[in-house]
Amino acid sequence: MRSKECLQNEKHTFRYYDLVKKTIYDLYPLRRDKIKTFEYLNRYLYADARYEAESKNCNGDISKENFELIDGEVDPNIAALVRLEILNTILLDDTFIFAYNYLVHGDNTYTNYPKLKGYSPKVVDENTLNNINKLICSYKEDYPKNKLCMFLTDIDNKNYHDKSNYKLSKDYNWWLKAFNMAYEIFDKIRVNSSNVNEALITVEDINTGDDALDLTVKEIICYLSDRYNFDIAKEQRVMLSLLSDFIEDKYIKQLKEADLVSERDETTTFGALTCSQQTKAIVLILKELGVNFNNTAKIFIARVIKVITGRNLQNIRIRMEINYKDEKDIKDLEVVADFFKELLPSLSKKIKENIKLYS
């Protein structure tokens, strides 16, 4: 079980919940670093050991009342109990293996503490760091990232990005922000797995001021919730399923209905051409004039096509790309080539040559 879930689920059993929570969340970004983990524990959780060492050096002349705590250090009177509660919180979460072993051994720089009875140290070897990274990834805790490609190594993320970016035409930083936001919110949602309503409110409250970003974040959360099955309790699985269904019903079905409208639009013609044929014809003309997707944003081209054709912008945007492996696209291109035969014979010829070359 993840430490965050354990902390929340067992909250009623903690005597020092706030201190334990602060420590757990402070340690999260340090889990891959054995040295920094030790430094943190030594700095904040061993005031009792530090007091014992300083008292020995001063022949017992320092009283606990006069002992000065370092800023943020846990009081020596409760330090051992806080360490024990932290240990029990991270017991089943091997991403905290370095912290776990240090606490079991009582490792600190001040004095020698005996190993805790009833706890066995976990094996640390050359594979440990790699195992920690894999676990963090499996827990979907591998955020924030500073490179989009790191998100796209996940096949679900890549499939969603590739499919949606064709419609959205958003830049690198926009997508990076979307994935980081979705992962962060998904992480928070799972912490309180018993409260479905709170999860729903969290999703509904997503409001960045960018409607496309808000919907994209919700869609990512939807498929993460639907597919997440790693080290998960039954109650949490139920909550995530309900959350996924809610997002699907409230947000994504609207897009599917819009797609159905798009398909119906494809059966109608203005003049001699369907929406797809008109869109591809204008895209090809613009390409001949030097305007393409490399030097002009797709949305700008789509808006021009909308003005010319009167078609729905969304219908245009999903038909702008040309796939020479798609049978329908090939048929559309053949119609367009014939349409251009008299007026633009060179373009008509080029279209037919490309069909033979790439299909």
Side-chain angles (χ1 to χ4, degrees), residues 198-330:
E198 185 175 302
L200 298 180
I201 291 170
T202 300
V203 170
E204 289 195 294
D205 283 347
I206 296 172
N207 184 10
T208 64
D210 180 339
D211 291 342
L213 180 61
D214 293 346
L215 181 57
T216 297
V217 170
K218 290 170 184 175
E219 287 186 305
I220 295 171
I221 293 171
C222 181
Y223 72 73
L224 287 174
S225 299
D226 184 55
R227 292 164 173 75
Y228 186 78
N229 279 304
F230 183 75
D231 192 17
I232 187 171
K234 181 179 179 181
E235 295 79 7
Q236 192 179 38
R237 179 64 265 159
V238 171
M239 185 275 282
L240 292 178
S241 294
L242 290 172
L243 178 64
S244 178
D245 290 343
F246 167 81
I247 298 173
E248 173 78 23
D249 290 340
K250 185 159 186 178
Y251 302 105
I252 300 176
K253 278 187 177 179
Q254 296 178 15
L255 294 181
K256 290 180 178 178
E257 289 171 0
D259 286 341
L260 291 176
V261 171
S262 298
E263 291 303 318
R264 287 196 296 272
D265 191 27
E266 186 61 22
T267 65
T268 63
T269 59
F270 292 173
L273 303 179
T274 65
C275 177
S276 178
Q277 292 161 3
Q278 286 178 321
T279 298
K280 288 175 173 57
I282 296 173
V283 165
L284 289 167
I285 291 173
L286 291 174
K287 187 176 180 181
E288 289 295 295
L289 296 173
V291 179
N292 55 57
F293 301 151
N294 293 325
N295 56 36
T296 306
K298 288 182 182 179
I299 185 60
F300 297 147
I301 297 176
R303 287 170 181 164
V304 169
I305 298 173
K306 172 180 169 56
V307 172
I308 295 173
T309 65
R311 299 285 189 175
N312 179 275
L313 184 64
Q314 176 67 6
N315 295 349
I316 292 168
R317 292 181 69 177
I318 64 176
R319 292 173 169 85
M320 292 174 71
E321 292 285 353
I322 296 173
N323 181 2
Y324 287 97
K325 301 298 181 182
D326 184 83
E327 184 177 344
K328 187 177 182 307
D329 274 11
I330 295 300

Side-chain angles (χ1 to χ4, degrees), residues 345-356:
S346 62
L347 179 55
S348 176
K349 181 180 179 182
K350 184 183 293 186
I351 294 171
K352 291 181 179 180
E353 288 175 349
N354 285 338
I355 292 173
K356 291 180 180 179

Side-chain angles (χ1 to χ4, degrees), residues 82-128:
V82 172
R83 291 196 299 270
L84 189 59
E85 290 193 344
I86 293 168
L87 187 61
N88 289 330
T89 304
I90 64 177
L91 178 64
L92 300 178
D93 186 344
D94 281 348
T95 65
F96 284 92
I97 188 171
F98 295 142
Y100 174 85
N101 280 355
Y102 284 134
L103 291 172
V104 168
H105 284 294
D107 290 335
N108 64 88
T109 60
Y110 308 113
T111 190
N112 293 324
Y113 274 163
K115 183 175 79 70
L116 286 177
K117 293 181 180 180
Y119 295 88
S120 298
K122 298 178 181 181
V123 175
V124 173
D125 56 28
E126 67 275 9
N127 297 315
T128 297

Side-chain angles (χ1 to χ4, degrees), residues 139-203:
Y139 279 132
K140 301 296 182 185
E141 295 173 338
D142 48 336
Y143 74 92
K145 299 181 186 294
N146 56 16
K147 294 181 180 179
L148 179 60
C149 62
M150 297 172 70
F151 278 115
L152 301 186
T153 57
D154 182 294
I155 188 63
D156 289 330
N157 291 343
K158 187 177 189 307
N159 288 340
Y160 176 79
H161 169 269
D162 292 350
K163 179 181 177 181
S164 300
N165 195 43
Y166 171 52
K167 298 179 182 180
L168 294 171
S169 299
K170 297 297 183 179
D171 64 21
Y172 180 98
N173 290 327
W174 189 94
W175 275 107
L176 182 61
K177 180 179 181 180
F179 279 112
N180 274 321
M181 277 188 62
Y183 269 57
E184 181 180 4
I185 294 170
F186 182 61
D187 190 355
K188 291 178 180 177
I189 285 169
R190 286 178 291 153
V191 171
N192 195 358
S193 58
S194 62
N195 195 331
V196 178
N197 289 333
E198 185 175 302
L200 298 180
I201 291 170
T202 300
V203 170

Side-chain angles (χ1 to χ4, degrees), residues 12-105:
H12 63 283
T13 68
F14 287 92
R15 291 181 62 185
Y16 306 105
Y17 173 80
D18 290 337
L19 290 172
V20 175
K21 181 178 180 180
K22 180 184 184 305
T23 301
I24 294 296
Y25 278 75
D26 285 349
L27 285 171
Y28 255 88
L30 309 180
R31 290 174 291 174
R32 297 177 174 92
D33 195 313
K34 186 175 182 179
I35 294 174
K36 288 184 178 179
T37 295
F38 174 78
E39 290 174 346
Y40 180 92
L41 297 174
N42 189 73
R43 166 68 174 72
Y44 294 107
L45 295 180
Y46 281 93
D48 50 346
R50 187 167 69 84
Y51 168 75
E52 185 178 322
E54 291 185 12
S55 181
K56 286 181 180 179
N57 290 337
C58 297
N59 297 316
D61 290 340
I62 299 177
S63 65
K64 283 193 175 181
E65 290 75 16
N66 295 326
F67 180 67
E68 293 186 8
L69 288 175
I70 301 170
D71 184 37
E73 194 174 26
V74 175
D75 188 291
N77 293 306
I78 62 171
L81 294 174
V82 172
R83 291 196 299 270
L84 189 59
E85 290 193 344
I86 293 168
L87 187 61
N88 289 330
T89 304
I90 64 177
L91 178 64
L92 300 178
D93 186 344
D94 281 348
T95 65
F96 284 92
I97 188 171
F98 295 142
Y100 174 85
N101 280 355
Y102 284 134
L103 291 172
V104 168
H105 284 294

